[in-house]
Amino acid sequence: MPNIAKLWNKLADPKNIPRLFALILGLLLIAGFLIPIGLNTDQIYTRPAPQSQMDAGLTIAPYDRGGEILESPGITEAQYPENSQNLGWINSYMTPIADMLKGISPYFGTSICASPGGLIDEILYYTRGFDTILESSILMMAFIIASWLAINFTMDRKEEKGEGDIEEDVKRAIASSDRIANEVEMSNRKARKKQAKKEFR
Amino acid sequence: MVASIVPQLVPAFYSLMYTTVLYGGLIVAFIGLIGIAMEKRDIQVLILTDIVGLAMLIIVAAVGTDLSEALILPGLVVELAEIMAISEILISHEMRKKDVHTSFTPIPLNIDMEIMTTAPNFIALLLIGYGVFLSGFTGGAVAGGGIVIYVLSRKVRGLPVVVLDGVGAISGISWCLWIIGFLFFFILPQYWLLSLFLAALGLLLKVASKIGLIGIMMREEYGRK
Amino acid sequence: MLIENLGGNLMGTIPLGDIVLYLNSLHIFLFVTILVFTALIAISRTETQVEAMFGSLDENKVSVGKKEFKQRRFLAIICGIATAGAMITGDLFNFTLFMALIGIVNIGIVSAVKHVDVLNSAYQYGLIAMMCGLPLFGGAAMILAATGTLSLFELAAIPASPMMIFGALVMLIGVCGESGIAPFFASKAEMFRTPGSPFILIIHLSSLFIIVRFVEILLIIL
């Protein structure tokens, strides 16, 4: 079975793996067209229909979830309301600057300036805060990896070259020249064999 | 009145759109993935994976609740973080394959604008001030932009290790602020406002200092002559 | 399937808002084991590989430099903690984020090496990890759309629908790619060919534990 052997060899090459993975995933996603798909309407953290708050003329239009600043909590439909004692307070909170801007501009709700406070902040910092902590840790790890590589390799490669032990370099040079000599020897021998075969004919 | 602000069930608009949006996301993902399967060059594959990340955002956004809006942020950041680390690995790999004297940019980039010498401090201060006013993630990005301009405009070369370590330390400390804020939410629920500000300020400092770090690294790379 | 049937009695929960970490006997075992391994790795030193030189009787010792050693130890500890967190989490999206963290830290542990081949396979694995964002987050989002919740306690009580099965399948492909099992092993296996053994080992260990935990999650969902 030479074909299967070839396939296994291809699988052992790291370069082919992302392509194989992409192909398998793509084919699986196509199966999504075959199954019945529908949105379960009983969701947590539901939001009003698009533009409905704009039409109602609310000042912080798409993100108005009720409540008054530091007086009454807004509406947050969390999964486990009993785990978050202050549910809804961040939702209704706005910084003084945000409160001032709200009166000036009718489009304040669509911006995210003067931000602590509001529904998305409540989800990001409070009810699902652990997700955000993990996310920022992922970003931090990526920074550590990238900056470490940049500082130690891509920037200072010259220094590393200077540090190298001369003795070791000589050893390496000998080894590589030996290898090249060997290869030359081998190819010579092959050529001679071919020559001999031809003459024999 | 209260019930009308936030509906009990998902509005009909979102549930009608869901199938269409999900199919759209699946098609985008399929195009990107088949592109990856057929492409040979490494750098092209890295660019194509961005399409796959985009498809993921579409599929998450299709749910159409506030929760899915909040879930987009982790998805986006994870893709961003991975593309940054992996492209750095690709650079390191390609440089290692080639000569030691290969440069990051083939031609040294000369940022020779008048504004860089006349008003860097003013622009940087303006951007940082505006970033603090915006606060949160965007504010951090804007303030970081200010740091980038300040760092790029300084002509003195040589890696300021103290500065680099200092900016990195600010980033780490603000990350700890965030963690403390998060723990206070649950240990001391009555101080929720304090925890909120700890988290928000931590985010601002963290993003700003990280973009500043990118600026320092860029200066070192592009300024190489 | 109910949570009690799978991992033993529920011993307690750690509620952090909507994300509830929970402990049962299986989880405690996995959690403690991975933490013990992480502690062992944190205090151990790296191996030194010995290569025979060609054409002479000398040998070439390949060891890990001090800067590199510190970086790798830090990332290996983070990897261990992330794996431990993934063992006890009770939220689907939280689990996928832990997986993403493990994936990027795995790349980081080998990114410090000087071998071109290892860097190449780390890059190829990184491409897979980036693509895995789609099946992991997308699959979780599909399950969210089909059921209206991400909490494993709620998902355990909901009978499986075709869309949930599809979402779980998509997630399974993502976990396969990220942890590098069966057909996708080559890029991850090549990453091990470098000195610095105990830190390299945590890559292996984390994917093992993740697979065990994901099988449990699959059984809970379906």
Side-chain angles (χ1 to χ4, degrees):
Chain A
M1 304 286 270
N3 286 332
I4 286 182
K6 240 182 219 171
L7 192 73
W8 285 131
N9 277 344
K10 272 193 176 167
L11 274 182
D13 183 5
K15 204 172 157 55
N16 293 326
I17 300 300
R19 279 86 178 168
L20 177 75
F21 182 75
L23 190 70
I24 291 177
L25 185 59
L27 292 180
L28 178 72
L29 288 184
I30 286 303
F33 288 98
L34 306 175
I35 57 162
I37 274 177
L39 183 67
N40 187 344
T41 51
D42 186 19
Q43 298 274 345
I44 44 174
Y45 301 101
T46 50
R47 71 193 317 172
Q51 293 299 323
S52 63
Q53 292 204 337
M54 285 288 187
D55 296 341
L58 298 172
T59 42
I60 40 175
Y63 294 106
D64 195 338
R65 301 289 183 270
E68 280 168 57
I69 302 167
L70 293 178
E71 279 175 17
S72 61
I75 306 162
T76 312
E77 298 171 72
Q79 181 84 57
Y80 299 110
E82 66 275 13
N83 289 346
S84 316
Q85 286 184 25
N86 294 311
L87 196 69
W89 284 101
I90 299 175
N91 188 345
S92 65
Y93 179 74
M94 286 164 91
T95 53
I97 302 171
D99 201 25
M100 182 194 79
L101 285 175
K102 182 180 81 173
I104 298 171
S105 165
Y107 308 110
F108 173 69
T110 55
S111 81
I112 43 175
C113 72
S115 76
L119 176 75
I120 301 296
D121 276 7
E122 172 148 280
I123 301 176
L124 284 181
Y125 295 146
Y126 192 17
T127 59
R128 295 190 71 87
F130 198 43
D131 273 358
T132 320
I133 283 185
L134 277 183
E135 168 237 303
S136 71
S137 319
I138 292 171
L139 191 59
M140 192 165 83
M141 290 307 137
F143 253 98
I144 288 171
I145 295 164
S147 62
W148 198 86
L149 274 177
I151 290 168
N152 288 301
F153 289 145
T154 45
M155 284 181 197
D156 306 327
R157 282 162 306 143
K158 279 168 194 159
E159 181 197 310
E160 181 202 326
K161 177 90 176 177
E163 270 177 359
D165 197 5
I166 296 171
E167 207 179 329
E168 211 158 272
D169 281 353
V170 171
K171 266 185 203 168
R172 270 206 196 123
I174 291 172
S176 64
S177 67
D178 272 2
R179 200 177 60 227
I180 291 168
N182 245 14
E183 274 168 17
V184 171
E185 177 83 29
M186 289 287 271
S187 60
N188 268 354
R189 212 173 282 165
K190 262 185 194 168
R192 237 174 270 147
K193 261 185 191 169
K194 263 186 187 170
Q195 194 77 19
K197 261 185 188 173
K198 268 183 192 168
E199 279 172 13
F200 183 71
R201 266 181 216 156
Chain B
M1 175 60 202
V2 167
S4 68
I5 290 178
V6 180
Q8 280 297 305
L9 298 173
V10 178
F13 181 77
Y14 292 119
S15 50
L16 282 177
M17 285 296 282
Y18 182 73
T19 318
T20 323
V21 178
L22 185 71
Y23 282 170
L26 290 181
I27 290 169
V28 170
F30 185 73
I31 292 171
L33 289 168
I34 295 303
I36 291 171
M38 283 156 57
E39 184 57 56
K40 288 277 179 284
R41 279 161 301 178
D42 280 345
I43 179 79
Q44 298 281 14
V45 173
L46 183 65
I47 295 165
L48 281 171
T49 50
D50 235 18
I51 297 182
V52 180
L54 194 69
M56 180 263 284
L57 293 184
I58 295 174
I59 292 173
V60 174
V63 182
T65 56
D66 286 329
L67 178 61
S68 73
E69 184 172 339
L71 293 184
I72 281 178
L73 187 64
L76 190 68
V77 171
V78 168
E79 290 290 318
L80 202 94
E82 284 181 345
I83 208 167
M84 184 171 65
I86 293 164
S87 54
E88 195 64 44
I89 288 177
L90 182 65
I91 293 171
S92 169
H93 167 237
E94 290 297 318
M95 282 184 159
R96 220 152 259 292
K97 260 204 317 204
K98 295 222 175 73
D99 186 16
V100 191
H101 298 285
T102 323
S103 169
F104 177 69
T105 43
I107 310 158
L109 191 72
N110 238 341
I111 314 173
D112 209 10
M113 286 180 278
E114 194 192 335
I115 203 161
M116 286 293 190
T117 54
T118 49
N121 295 358
F122 179 69
I123 293 175
L125 271 181
L126 206 70
L127 278 176
I128 291 173
Y130 184 54
V132 172
F133 166 69
L134 289 180
S135 71
F137 202 87
T138 30
V142 172
I147 299 177
V148 168
I149 286 188
Y150 182 72
V151 165
L152 278 180
S153 62
R154 298 270 300 273
K155 288 287 182 211
V156 188
R157 278 261 311 142
L159 188 66
V161 177
V162 182
V163 174
L164 198 71
D165 284 354
V167 176
I170 291 175
S171 175
I173 289 169
S174 52
W175 189 75
C176 293
L177 278 184
W178 187 344
I179 302 280
I180 292 167
F182 178 69
L183 287 180
F184 270 19
F185 268 129
F186 297 101
I187 297 169
L188 304 165
Q190 66 270 29
Y191 295 120
W192 59 269
L193 197 59
L194 174 73
S195 347
L196 175 65
F197 271 90
L198 276 177
L201 282 180
L203 187 67
L204 172 76
L205 284 176
K206 190 175 77 82
V207 176
S209 53
K210 277 189 179 150
I211 291 180
L213 276 182
I214 293 183
I216 293 174
M217 288 185 342
M218 260 166 65
R219 206 258 315 257
E220 288 303 306
E221 279 301 342
Y222 291 144
R224 184 184 286 276
K225 298 258 164 66
Chain C
M1 210 181 282
L2 289 177
I3 285 169
E4 282 78 15
N5 297 349
L6 271 171
N9 284 329
L10 197 63
M11 291 180 181
T13 59
I14 306 168
L16 296 171
D18 275 7
I19 293 161
V20 178
L21 312 178
Y22 70 97
L23 297 166
N24 56 27
S25 16
L26 175 68
H27 291 178
I28 287 179
F29 177 73
L30 292 173
F31 184 72
V32 171
T33 315
I34 191 76
L35 281 187
V36 168
F37 269 112
T38 310
L40 280 179
I41 283 168
I43 57 169
S44 62
R45 304 217 140 260
T46 48
E47 57 159 5
T48 301
Q49 282 185 350
V50 180
E51 286 174 2
M53 299 279 284
F54 196 83
S56 69
L57 288 176
D58 289 336
E59 62 207 17
N60 184 21
K61 281 184 181 160
V62 185
S63 61
V64 181
K66 200 183 173 200
K67 272 199 284 184
E68 211 176 313
F69 172 78
K70 276 185 178 168
Q71 157 94 348
R72 279 204 199 165
R73 186 175 57 188
F74 174 70
L75 290 175
I77 291 170
I78 295 287
C79 186
I81 292 171
T83 314
M87 291 305 111
I88 58 170
T89 183
D91 188 276
L92 207 57
F93 204 79
N94 204 234
F95 177 76
T96 59
L97 276 172
F98 269 121
M99 280 225 61
L101 180 55
I102 291 170
I104 199 157
V105 171
N106 281 353
I107 301 165
I109 291 174
V110 292
S111 70
V113 298
K114 298 183 183 73
H115 303 253
V116 173
D117 291 343
V118 174
L119 275 182
N120 184 36
S121 58
Y123 174 70
Q124 305 293 350
Y125 173 69
L127 288 179
I128 294 184
M130 276 201 69
M131 276 186 263
C132 280
L134 169 74
L136 288 175
F137 298 129
M142 270 185 236
I143 291 172
L144 170 69
T147 60
T149 181
L150 283 169
S151 166
L152 287 180
F153 290 100
E154 310 285 323
L155 284 171
I158 298 171
S161 64
M163 205 173 143
M164 276 171 78
I165 296 173
F166 180 63
L169 260 180
V170 172
M171 275 186 82
L172 176 68
I173 291 282
V175 172
C176 285
E178 190 105 31
S179 55
I181 54 173
F184 316 118
F185 58 87
S187 57
K188 211 165 179 183
E190 287 287 324
M191 278 162 50
F192 296 159
R193 306 202 174 163
T194 165
S197 153
F199 305 148
I200 301 292
L201 211 65
I202 192 101
I203 299 177
H204 205 68
L205 206 62
S206 64
S207 33
L208 253 167
F209 275 68
I210 281 289
I211 292 166
V212 171
R213 174 76 173 122
F214 186 69
V215 168
E216 197 212 341
I217 288 179
L218 264 189
L219 288 174
I220 288 173
I221 294 174
L222 301 180

